[in-house]
Amino acid sequence: RQKMFPIKKILCPTDFSDPSYEGLKKAIEIAEHFTAELILVHIVSPIPNIVGTGSPTGFHFPMVLEEMEAQATKKIEADAVDHIPDHIRSKTIVKTGRPADQIVETAVEEKAQIIVMATHGQSGWQRFVSGSVTERVVRMATCPVFVVPAPEE
């Protein structure tokens, strides 16, 4: 069977939402088809320190971030066990930073041939306000991005 291009590594970002699990299902299908390695990645977004609120977040920030990373690591490892079949080679990565930037950077570092990720089904105003991580990844990525639409509510 003719292969479009060899896919040896697939990067699949997750934010632990339902749509991101739809993305993971598709990534698993592609991994099975190409006998590729599946890299599941979660990006912990740093909490902005709002100046002038008198909040002590800046002071405890490193501890809060460490706890967020520890929780994310536990969750992503459990998800890998629960969702990714044993016969698929896989690994998990947790990083901190701006999600789109970190996803694109991780794809390059891991030499992924494709990024498989879900959209969040946001429309109109919501999307305008939050900006879409998926859109930024599509714009910035140096490899193809397979975008899985969010399931209909």
Side-chain angles (χ1 to χ4, degrees):
R1 158 167 79 183
Q2 224 25 49
K3 287 186 178 177
M4 264 185 341
F5 50 92
I7 296 177
K8 291 179 176 58
K9 285 186 176 189
I10 300 163
L11 187 75
C12 181
T14 180
D15 62 3
F16 311 127
S17 66
D18 288 344
S20 74
Y21 292 123
E22 289 302 311
L24 179 56
K25 280 183 203 164
K26 213 35 100 180
I28 289 166
E29 271 179 53
I30 296 167
E32 285 181 322
H33 181 83
F34 287 99
T35 323
E37 180 181 8
L38 180 55
I39 302 159
L40 195 58
V41 64
H42 176 77
I43 311 303
V44 174
S45 213
I47 313 151
N49 188 8
I50 296 133
V51 181
T53 55
S55 82
T57 53
F59 184 73
H60 297 291
F61 187 69
M63 279 166 47
V64 171
L65 206 53
E66 238 171 71
E67 181 56 30
M68 288 168 73
E69 286 169 359
Q71 291 297 322
T73 301
K74 246 185 243 161
K75 178 85 177 108
I76 201 170
E77 286 170 359
D79 280 359
V81 169
D82 293 346
H83 296 279
I84 303 171
D86 291 340
H87 63 274
I88 294 175
R89 272 181 315 125
S90 66
K91 75 175 186 181
T92 59
I93 297 173
V94 172
K95 285 183 162 186
T96 302
R98 290 181 59 176
D101 299 354
Q102 290 298 324
I103 290 164
V104 170
E105 196 177 289
T106 305
V108 171
E109 286 168 3
E110 294 294 327
K111 297 175 178 63
Q113 281 83 29
I114 191 168
I115 298 169
V116 178
M117 66 189 300
T119 60
H120 272 274
Q122 293 177 339
S123 61
W125 179 245
Q126 253 184 315
R127 196 163 126 219
F128 176 74
V129 172
S130 67
S132 162
V133 171
T134 307
E135 278 174 57
R136 281 183 54 83
V137 169
V138 168
R139 267 204 319 274
M140 293 169 23
T142 55
C143 65
V145 181
F146 186 95
V147 179
V148 180
E152 293 298 313
E153 288 306 311

